[in-house]
Amino acid sequence: MFTGSIVALVTPMDDKGNICRTSLKKLIDYHITSGTAAIVSVGTTGESATLSHEEHSYVVMLTLEMADGRIPVIAGTGANATAEGISLTKRFENSGVVGCLTVTPYYNRPTQEGLYLHFKAIAESTDLPQMLYNVPLRTGCDMLPETVARLAEIKNIIGIKEATGNLLRVSQIQALVDEVFIIVSGDDASALALMQLGGKGVISVTANIAAREMAKLCTLVQQGSISEARRLNQRLMHLHQMLFCEPNPIPVKWAAKRLGLIASSTLRLPMTQLSSAAILKVEQALIKSGLL
């Protein structure tokens, strides 16, 4: 449930910015039939930054309800205040989520000791498995391998979503942790390379719209069919890149609507609709990848 192709699910909204139950159900069913290993609900791609705590909890619980035990659900519980992270995490105890994905605190740029104490406090507040999430480009802080190793000693911190795109990090972390500690990619463009170095999968933006392809990619790596995995990844590479031609999840929401997976590409301010120039880029990437 923490390996393979895990989708960082978008949060569908209607034209007024309200949570769209119909599109969410359609997305969940799409991932179940496509072989997605698990869903991350209300992570960064799920627009956690613009949902209230009540909406955050509502979307996670609605995802659990609609999944109905057919696919594991991981709750996004990241926050830039430790107390807030603990509060979000405790909301999902005994809910049915299989664990939590917790991003490094953003904006306030804690020290490595601050990062250690932050995640330690959250982990010790719950029995839920915790997956760390390091994405310096978005948060302004970078959790170093030595800090990851300290946190890996805490029994319910089971792995990390490493989204630096720096493949050296995989070996650096592996040298410091036990083999059971899970490393997954948070960067679609380098996910195949990370898995070849021993990573266990990807928490994927691309999987929102190419679920079968990303599930197959992970399966091919697990089977040792690297040449075939490389060919598939090459077909998807332009899409991996163009889904970040504007800040995530702007492009992937537009693409999901273009493919009929959601009814509206609505986002909440300060996120805006995909620009005309970027629409052309994403459209061409969908064609090149074989999705259109």
Side-chain angles (χ1 to χ4, degrees), residues 192-205:
L192 174 58
L194 182 141
M195 286 188 280
Q196 288 180 263
L197 291 172
K200 300 302 183 183
V202 57
I203 297 180
S204 172
V205 173

Side-chain angles (χ1 to χ4, degrees), residues 152-280:
E153 296 176 0
I154 299 170
K155 64 178 182 179
N156 59 331
I157 294 181
I158 60 158
I160 185 169
K161 175 185 177 183
E162 178 53 59
T164 58
N166 177 4
L167 295 175
L168 181 59
R169 281 296 176 88
V170 181
S171 298
Q172 291 173 329
I173 294 170
Q174 286 173 329
L176 298 171
V177 300
D178 293 336
E179 289 185 3
V180 294
F181 190 77
I182 299 165
I183 303 173
V184 298
S185 175
D187 174 60
D188 283 300
S190 61
L192 174 58
L194 182 141
M195 286 188 280
Q196 288 180 263
L197 291 172
K200 300 302 183 183
V202 57
I203 297 180
S204 172
V205 173
T206 301
N208 276 284
I209 57 170
R212 289 179 181 84
E213 290 79 1
M214 291 304 296
K216 183 177 181 181
L217 180 70
C218 292
T219 299
L220 288 170
V221 176
Q222 292 164 1
Q223 294 173 343
S225 302
I226 302 303
S227 294
E228 190 176 351
R230 285 174 179 162
R231 286 193 293 272
L232 175 56
N233 191 58
Q234 191 57 43
R235 175 161 65 86
L236 295 173
M237 185 56 70
H238 190 54
L239 182 63
H240 293 330
Q241 295 168 338
M242 288 304 101
L243 288 180
F244 290 87
C245 66
E246 290 186 357
N248 180 47
I250 294 172
V252 74
K253 267 198 158 179
W254 181 89
K257 182 178 185 297
R258 177 70 177 84
L259 295 173
L261 294 169
I262 58 177
S264 172
S265 58
T266 300
L267 304 104
R268 290 183 180 176
L269 289 172
M271 306 302 283
T272 55
Q273 288 292 308
L274 192 64
S275 68
S276 298
I279 284 173
L280 295 175

Side-chain angles (χ1 to χ4, degrees), residues 60-231:
V60 173
M61 298 307 293
L62 188 59
T63 301
L64 278 166
E65 177 188 329
M66 292 177 170
D68 194 25
R70 296 175 296 163
I71 186 171
V73 176
I74 301 163
T77 52
N80 63 342
T82 305
E84 184 179 2
I86 290 172
S87 175
L88 277 172
T89 300
K90 293 185 79 65
R91 288 183 182 216
F92 301 120
E93 288 185 327
N94 303 312
S95 66
V97 301
V98 297
C100 300
L101 178 69
T102 308
V103 72
T104 52
Y106 40 88
Y107 186 76
N108 46 21
R109 302 177 65 193
T111 64
Q112 294 301 304
E113 183 65 14
L115 288 171
Y116 171 74
L117 293 173
H118 171 80
F119 286 110
K120 179 176 182 287
I122 293 172
E124 290 178 347
S125 75
T126 183
D127 291 326
L128 283 170
Q130 301 291 302
M131 180 163 278
L132 312 171
Y133 177 17
N134 189 40
V135 57
L137 184 64
R138 294 193 75 123
T139 63
C141 72
D142 185 6
M143 183 160 49
L144 299 180
E146 293 76 13
T147 305
V148 175
R150 291 178 69 194
L151 289 165
E153 296 176 0
I154 299 170
K155 64 178 182 179
N156 59 331
I157 294 181
I158 60 158
I160 185 169
K161 175 185 177 183
E162 178 53 59
T164 58
N166 177 4
L167 295 175
L168 181 59
R169 281 296 176 88
V170 181
S171 298
Q172 291 173 329
I173 294 170
Q174 286 173 329
L176 298 171
V177 300
D178 293 336
E179 289 185 3
V180 294
F181 190 77
I182 299 165
I183 303 173
V184 298
S185 175
D187 174 60
D188 283 300
S190 61
L192 174 58
L194 182 141
M195 286 188 280
Q196 288 180 263
L197 291 172
K200 300 302 183 183
V202 57
I203 297 180
S204 172
V205 173
T206 301
N208 276 284
I209 57 170
R212 289 179 181 84
E213 290 79 1
M214 291 304 296
K216 183 177 181 181
L217 180 70
C218 292
T219 299
L220 288 170
V221 176
Q222 292 164 1
Q223 294 173 343
S225 302
I226 302 303
S227 294
E228 190 176 351
R230 285 174 179 162
R231 286 193 293 272

Side-chain angles (χ1 to χ4, degrees), residues 31-44:
H31 283 287
I32 290 166
T33 60
S34 299
T36 298
I39 290 170
V40 170
S41 179
V42 198
T44 306

